[in-house]
Each structure stands twice: as structure tokens, then as C-alpha cells.
Amino acid sequence: MIQSQTVPNVLKAFAHLLNTEIQNWKLEIPEKFGRGYCMGFTFNTHIRMIISNYELNEDIIVENLDLNHSKKTLFFKFQNIFPATETLPGEKQLKSPPSVLIGTSSLNTDTVIPIHTNTATINIEIDADYLSELFEISEKSTILYNLLQNKQPLLFEQMLYPSLQKIADEMISESISKTFKLFFLRIKAEELICRLLIELEKRDTKQLYTLNSSDIEKIYKVKQQMLENLSIPPVINDLAIAANMSPTKLKNLFKQIFGNSIFNYYQEFRMKEAAILLKQGNLSVSDVGYKLGFTNLSHFSKVFATHTGVKPKQYSKS
């Protein structure tokens, strides 16, 4: 029997709504409600984690019984991290690469949580004061200092490198006995958090702008608009008008959240798409270049080599 206090209250509430039981921290979605699973772990008073990979027939609203306004909490939401074998039957493989959202609790203070019909994430919440005791952070470390101070709404998105994806894979698929499961997963969760904070500290950020949900929604719409057609380079003024922001504000908030300028971010995704198309082998190098909006193929080859380390022709044959 697992101890009840090691299961997050929100998972218990979810199980109650589905009229099912949690076995070994795992809630299997009953067939009449959908398919998949949700696992939850309260490691200690400082850190908890929920791993979700399910599809529901309809949205469900669950009261967030774990919400504590008196605590300064950071959340880490991992997206697109499940391997193809973990993808639910009939679900299309997501195009977006693995990434993690890192934010302050002031952006996640709803008293109810929408349990969406299609969820494949890992969510980790950790006490900012607990982290502060582990680090010696000066005000020169702008991002880390402000995250741990937790006095303003902040959100960052960080791509997951293969080494970080490997840790996430181990958390999802490693077969660990019940005796060691909590210990193993807590260590992995803390390793992920540490490595992600190391990556955030590398960002060249001197000033942080306070965010609100409206601005965040607009920035993500700009991102979506930009990536929906990678053959058309972004025009800052057009994006700013669509977002109802000044070009300066748009550029500042975009770089703060994603750690990159709008054009560099676009170019990085453009080259990722080029790599996918070249690997598929259905198109020639010139076809891929033209498809992604390049009129000068030598320029395409140079940009691709800058991002991947090899020329497109070499990459397509590798």
C-alpha cells in the first residue's frame, strides 16, 4: 500500500470524478471516459509532480486542492516529451519539439484546473524558498534571482536538449520497484530543474518585464502565426499590429519568454523543418529550399549548415 500523503490531492479529486481508484500513484482512465493514464507524486512538502498522457471524451473541471497562495512556487511544464510508443492510439505525432514552460505561481493561481481532452505533459511544482536555500544567487543572475524572489509574474520557454530529453524519458519509461520509485523520480525531477535553471542563467538578460496573461496569450499567438507558414519571413511591424503591441514591446517580451529574437527563433524552426523534410527523402535539397521560401539555394545551404553543422545534401544522405 502506498501512503496517501504521497499522492497529490488534485489526482485524488480527478479519480473521484472518474469513480476510479489510484493504484501505485497511477490513475488509469476508465474506458467510458477515455483512455490513457495520469500519475501523481508528492515527494515532500517542497516538490510534487504529475505525469499525464491521456485522451478524454470531454473536458472535466477539477478543483485545485493543492493550491497554496502563501507559498512561492515555481512550475515546470514539459511538453511534447512522450516518445512515439507512448503516443495514444490514433493521435498524430506532435510537430513541435520537446520544450518546457518555466514560470512563477502567480501565473498559475486558478482555483480550478481544466482537465483537457488531450494531455501529454509532465508538470513539476517546487517551492521557490526551498530552491533559494540551495543556491547562492546574486542580483546579477537576473532570471534566477527574479524567479526565486517570485515577486512578479514570469514565464520562460526552454527547448529540451537530447540530454534533458533522456532524463524525461527515464522518468516515463524506467521500470523501478515501488520501494525506490519516489526516491528515483524525485532525484530525476530535481536534476531536470537544476539543468534547466543552468540553461536559463546562460541567457543574456539584463532586464525583465512583468507579464500578464493577456500579453502571454498575444505572444504565443504571434509565435503560432509565424510558425504556421515557415516560407514567409516574419515582419515585425505586421506581427506587432496583429498583437496590438508596439514593435519594441513585442520584441522585448518575445525574447524574454523564448530567449531568442523573433527572426532567430523563426530561422531555427525553419531549419528544423528543413531537416525533417530532408530526412523524409521525398523532396530534393532544392525542393526543400524553395518550399521554405529560399530563392537562393546557396544561401539556404549556408544557413542550414550554420544550424546543423552539415550541408543539406550531406544531411539528406546521412
Side-chain angles (χ1 to χ4, degrees):
M1 289 288 292
I2 62 171
Q3 294 182 325
S4 177
Q5 63 265 34
T6 64
V7 177
N9 290 320
V10 69
L11 189 60
K12 296 176 188 174
F14 190 18
H16 178 73
L17 284 175
L18 299 182
N19 194 28
T20 189
E21 293 185 355
I22 298 167
Q23 300 287 341
N24 295 330
W25 300 283
K26 189 172 187 177
L27 184 165
E28 294 279 1
I29 305 298
E31 191 175 336
K32 65 179 179 179
F33 292 104
R35 53 192 171 181
Y37 65 88
C38 188
M39 301 180 72
F41 309 88
T42 299
F43 299 118
N44 50 41
T45 57
H46 306 302
I47 181 170
R48 70 188 186 109
M49 176 173 72
I50 292 178
I51 301 174
S52 304
N53 188 25
Y54 56 76
E55 183 177 332
L56 299 180
N57 298 330
E58 59 183 40
D59 287 357
I60 295 176
I61 299 296
V62 179
E63 185 179 356
N64 189 358
L65 300 173
D66 296 302
L67 186 65
N68 187 342
H69 290 287
S70 65
K71 271 193 173 185
K72 296 188 295 183
T73 306
L74 302 181
F75 68 84
F76 295 74
K77 181 176 181 178
F78 297 80
Q79 309 172 111
N80 310 320
I81 44 88
F82 285 86
T85 52
E86 280 285 307
T87 304
L88 292 164
E91 181 183 342
K92 291 182 180 179
Q93 191 70 12
L94 291 171
K95 180 181 175 181
S96 300
S99 66
V100 57
L101 300 178
I102 304 165
T104 55
S105 54
S106 48
L107 286 175
N108 194 27
T109 55
D110 293 334
T111 55
V112 294
I113 301 174
I115 304 296
H116 297 298
T117 54
N118 213 319
T119 299
T121 61
I122 294 178
N123 287 284
I124 303 173
E125 293 183 2
I126 190 164
D127 184 359
D129 288 334
Y130 168 67
L131 280 178
S132 297
E133 294 172 1
L134 303 177
F135 304 131
E136 288 188 14
I137 302 293
S138 73
E139 292 187 36
K140 292 180 180 178
S141 299
T142 308
I143 292 179
L144 293 190
Y145 180 81
N146 282 277
L147 266 178
L148 297 179
Q149 287 290 306
N150 214 299
K151 291 180 179 178
Q152 64 185 119
L154 294 172
L155 180 73
F156 307 96
E157 182 169 327
Q158 178 67 42
M159 292 298 168
L160 281 192
Y161 301 118
S163 58
L164 295 176
Q165 176 72 55
K166 184 174 182 293
I167 300 170
D169 290 343
E170 290 172 350
M171 294 170 71
I172 295 168
S173 58
E174 193 81 15
S175 180
I176 301 295
S177 71
K178 193 163 62 174
T179 303
F180 297 104
K181 199 169 188 72
L182 277 177
F183 184 37
F184 174 83
L185 290 175
R186 178 178 64 80
I187 291 171
K188 291 296 178 183
E190 293 195 344
E191 182 180 2
L192 272 176
I193 289 169
C194 180
R195 288 180 176 274
L196 285 166
L197 294 179
I198 289 171
E199 291 302 319
L200 281 184
E201 193 181 33
K202 293 176 183 177
R203 293 190 181 185
D204 181 24
T205 303
K206 305 300 181 198
Q207 179 183 359
L208 290 177
Y209 303 90
T210 299
L211 296 169
N212 58 55
S213 57
S214 175
D215 284 341
I216 292 171
E217 187 177 343
K218 289 175 182 176
I219 293 297
Y220 271 85
K221 280 184 178 177
V222 164
K223 171 194 164 184
Q224 183 180 356
Q225 178 185 340
M226 183 173 64
L227 299 184
E228 276 179 351
N229 194 340
L230 291 170
S231 66
I232 303 175
V235 178
I236 301 297
N237 286 341
D238 292 346
L239 294 175
I241 290 170
N244 195 25
M245 286 183 182
S246 70
T248 301
K249 181 178 180 180
L250 174 64
K251 289 189 288 186
N252 287 339
L253 294 188
F254 192 97
K255 187 169 184 181
Q256 178 171 309
I257 292 174
F258 297 107
N260 215 338
S261 70
I262 290 174
F263 184 78
N264 287 343
Y265 189 87
Y266 156 80
Q267 196 75 296
E268 186 175 336
F269 268 80
R270 200 182 186 191
M271 291 305 101
K272 287 181 188 296
E273 180 67 10
I276 291 170
L277 293 173
L278 289 169
K279 275 295 182 191
Q280 288 174 347
N282 299 325
L283 299 174
S284 66
V285 171
S286 58
D287 287 339
V288 170
Y290 291 136
K291 183 178 177 66
L292 292 174
F294 286 91
T295 55
N296 184 324
L297 291 180
S298 63
H299 179 55
F300 166 56
S301 181
K302 183 178 179 182
V303 172
F304 188 87
T306 300
H307 282 261
T308 64
V310 294
K311 298 283 187 181
K313 202 162 190 177
Q314 290 175 278
Y315 188 87
S316 64
K317 292 178 179 178
S318 63

